[in-house]
Amino acid sequence: MESYTLTLSPSTLFLGSSKLPNRNPKPKFSFTSRSDSFSKSLYVSCLRRSSYPCSFSNFEGRSYISLLVSSKITNGFVVRAASVSGNTDETVESQNLVRTLQLGSMFAIWYFLNISYNICNKQVLKVFPFPATVTAFQFGCGTMLVLWMWAFNLYPKPKITKSQIATILTLAVIHTMGNILTNISIGKVAVSFTHTIKSMEPFFTVVLATLFLGEKPSLWVVASLVPIVGGVALTSFTEASFNWIGFSTAMASNLTNQSRNVLSKKFMVNKEEAMDNINLFSTITIISFLLLTPVAILMEGVKFSPSYLQFAASQGLNIKELCIRSLLTGFCFHTYQQVSYYILQLVSPVTHAVGNCVKRVVVIVSSIIFFQTPVSPINSLGTAVALAGVVLYSRAKRIKPKASCIHTCK
């Protein structure tokens, strides 16, 4: 396939003239077809239809036609048509293929890390029921990864201004609370049930955005919340591992996590000072580790001390396995969120939201299979309805409200 281009360039013949001939102010061109005979056809057409000098040349397999044009509009230009080797479409297709493969691999890594985190986290909390200590340890692993990332210049270090400190500190406190509540819930109920409850995040997002940002949801958005709430309610009534601590802490984690998102949107409005998502999450991780470590010690004591681990080993706990899974959990905890923010830089927020919904489905199914969680048909139906509502919510967010008749009907 070949493509053709027309270029307009100043004519040296007329640059020195003060008066320009004006025989045909509107020269006509005829294009017979986009084929190999394009150049010769254009040349013949120029000779027949134009009274201006027209020339044809061929160089290195490319055909060139020059037509000298002069009018009041063109002010002495040469119109040149050249056939160009058409590999543009192939280049675009190859670039799209590379981008699709890159996105596919990133989504696969995101899902794999999330599945690994939830399974290992449940295993750790099952034999080591200290959610504050486990969460602090996960923040500590994340802090080490962040410092390593900045030390080796794998990602540019953020420049934090004084005006940002209070905002980041507030977000870090809320982020810390959200993760502790999530770990408490995972320790008390099945992983699949916790993630089904966490599918109600859009409901809290809409409520908080309305209260704090003044955003009015559309009718489609409100309608999409109905299956989410109904599905979670149906799942809760039929959940075999249901208890109020696990249910309430999962709900509270929804509130805190979405409060963090809404507040970050409210406060980080200055684009010049706003941090990107990866650096903001990295900074919050470090602050959360510094905040939670003393609180965890006060609440649960020093649980990773040699003396306590020796005591736990005497009770039958496999210390080596616990340490390996704790390190793996901490690594997956931080990296899956970093990968999530990296994907958000490559795709639209709606695409990311749909991918996040699919991720939740994958995590729920994987945890049910791995832990052999008993699930009734009605429970499965409730989970499916809630997740379908999340997909509808993501689609409804794309629908822009029509302009008011006051602005359009005049």
Side-chain angles (χ1 to χ4, degrees):
M1 179 185 290
E2 287 192 350
S3 59
Y4 305 94
T5 60
L6 289 173
T7 60
L8 199 63
S9 60
S11 169
T12 55
L13 179 63
F14 294 134
L15 288 179
S17 299
S18 58
K19 294 183 179 181
L20 304 175
N22 191 17
R23 300 179 191 174
N24 185 12
K26 295 183 179 179
K28 298 180 179 180
F29 304 96
S30 71
F31 299 83
T32 57
S33 64
R34 285 198 161 189
S35 62
D36 294 336
S37 61
F38 172 82
S39 299
K40 291 184 179 180
S41 300
L42 179 60
Y43 173 63
V44 173
S45 178
C46 289
L47 290 177
R48 291 178 178 177
R49 296 176 179 266
S50 175
S51 58
Y52 299 115
C54 183
S55 63
F56 175 84
S57 62
N58 187 286
F59 179 70
E60 293 184 353
R62 296 186 181 185
S63 302
Y64 297 88
I65 298 176
S66 297
L67 173 62
L68 196 57
V69 180
S70 173
S71 68
K72 294 180 181 180
I73 299 175
T74 59
N75 196 22
F77 283 90
V78 175
V79 179
R80 290 189 176 92
S83 66
V84 183
S85 300
N87 58 356
T88 305
D89 294 338
E90 296 178 0
T91 303
V92 172
E93 289 179 1
S94 63
Q95 290 176 349
N96 290 336
L97 178 61
V98 171
R99 186 176 184 274
T100 301
L101 292 175
Q102 180 188 11
L103 281 177
S105 61
M106 294 305 297
F107 272 97
I109 293 172
W110 183 24
Y111 292 173
F112 174 77
L113 291 172
N114 207 287
I115 293 171
S116 301
Y117 163 71
N118 281 278
I119 290 177
C120 292
N121 196 32
K122 177 65 176 180
Q123 290 175 329
V124 170
L125 289 169
K126 203 171 184 180
V127 298
F128 194 76
F130 303 105
T133 301
V134 170
T135 307
F137 184 81
Q138 293 169 0
F139 284 139
C141 292
T143 298
M144 297 301 295
L145 291 173
V146 169
L147 296 177
W148 178 76
M149 176 182 70
W150 288 342
F152 288 92
N153 294 322
L154 300 178
Y155 200 83
K157 300 176 184 178
K159 295 181 180 179
I160 303 176
T161 61
K162 293 182 179 179
S163 59
Q164 293 177 326
I165 295 177
T167 299
I168 294 175
L169 185 61
T170 303
L171 295 176
V173 171
I174 299 174
H175 179 70
T176 304
M177 293 173 58
N179 281 277
I180 291 179
L181 292 169
T182 300
N183 279 340
I184 293 174
S185 178
I186 290 177
K188 294 294 183 179
V189 296
V191 175
S192 57
F193 183 50
T194 298
H195 279 273
T196 302
I197 298 173
K198 288 179 73 66
S199 65
M200 278 194 67
E201 287 178 348
F203 173 82
F204 290 93
T205 299
V206 171
V207 173
L208 293 172
T210 303
L211 294 176
F212 294 101
L213 302 180
E215 297 180 357
K216 295 183 179 180
S218 65
L219 180 62
W220 293 107
V221 170
V222 175
S224 68
L225 299 179
V226 176
I228 296 176
V229 176
V232 170
L234 183 61
T235 303
S236 300
F237 286 133
T238 58
E239 174 60 35
S241 66
F242 179 88
N243 68 66
W244 283 106
I245 296 178
F247 175 81
S248 59
T249 50
M251 280 293 185
S253 71
N254 283 337
L255 178 62
T256 53
N257 289 332
Q258 298 314 303
S259 297
R260 177 198 60 198
N261 295 339
V262 171
L263 290 176
S264 63
K265 184 177 180 181
K266 180 180 178 64
F267 293 139
M268 297 292 184
V269 293
N270 191 343
K271 293 184 178 180
E272 296 180 356
E273 295 185 357
M275 299 169 61
D276 61 272
N277 288 326
I278 292 179
N279 270 331
L280 180 60
F281 171 70
S282 300
T283 305
I284 288 176
T285 297
I286 296 175
I287 297 176
S288 296
F289 171 65
L290 297 176
L291 291 175
L292 184 57
T293 300
V295 175
I297 294 174
L298 291 175
M299 290 176 57
E300 300 171 344
V302 182
K303 298 303 181 183
F304 273 103
S305 63
S307 58
Y308 180 82
L309 293 178
Q310 186 177 3
F311 168 76
S314 65
Q315 301 297 315
L317 182 63
N318 190 330
I319 302 301
K320 181 180 179 180
E321 185 177 347
L322 173 64
C323 293
I324 292 175
R325 290 183 179 176
S326 296
L327 287 171
L328 184 60
T329 302
F331 173 80
C332 294
F333 169 74
H334 184 79
T335 52
Y336 93 76
Q337 296 185 76
Q338 291 282 28
V339 172
S340 173
Y341 286 125
Y342 178 75
I343 293 174
L344 186 58
Q345 294 178 347
L346 301 177
V347 300
S348 66
V350 175
T351 302
H352 187 272
V354 174
N356 189 57
C357 180
V358 175
K359 179 212 70 178
R360 202 173 295 283
V361 174
V362 172
V363 170
I364 290 174
V365 174
S366 300
S367 64
I368 290 175
I369 295 174
F370 185 87
F371 293 109
Q372 298 182 352
T373 306
V375 180
S376 65
I378 298 178
N379 187 275
S380 301
L381 176 63
T383 301
V385 169
L387 295 175
V390 175
V391 175
L392 292 176
Y393 170 81
S394 302
R395 306 294 293 180
K397 293 289 288 184
R398 298 180 62 181
I399 302 175
K400 296 182 180 179
K402 295 182 179 180
S404 175
C405 188
I406 298 177
H407 300 288
T408 57
C409 302
K410 291 185 179 180

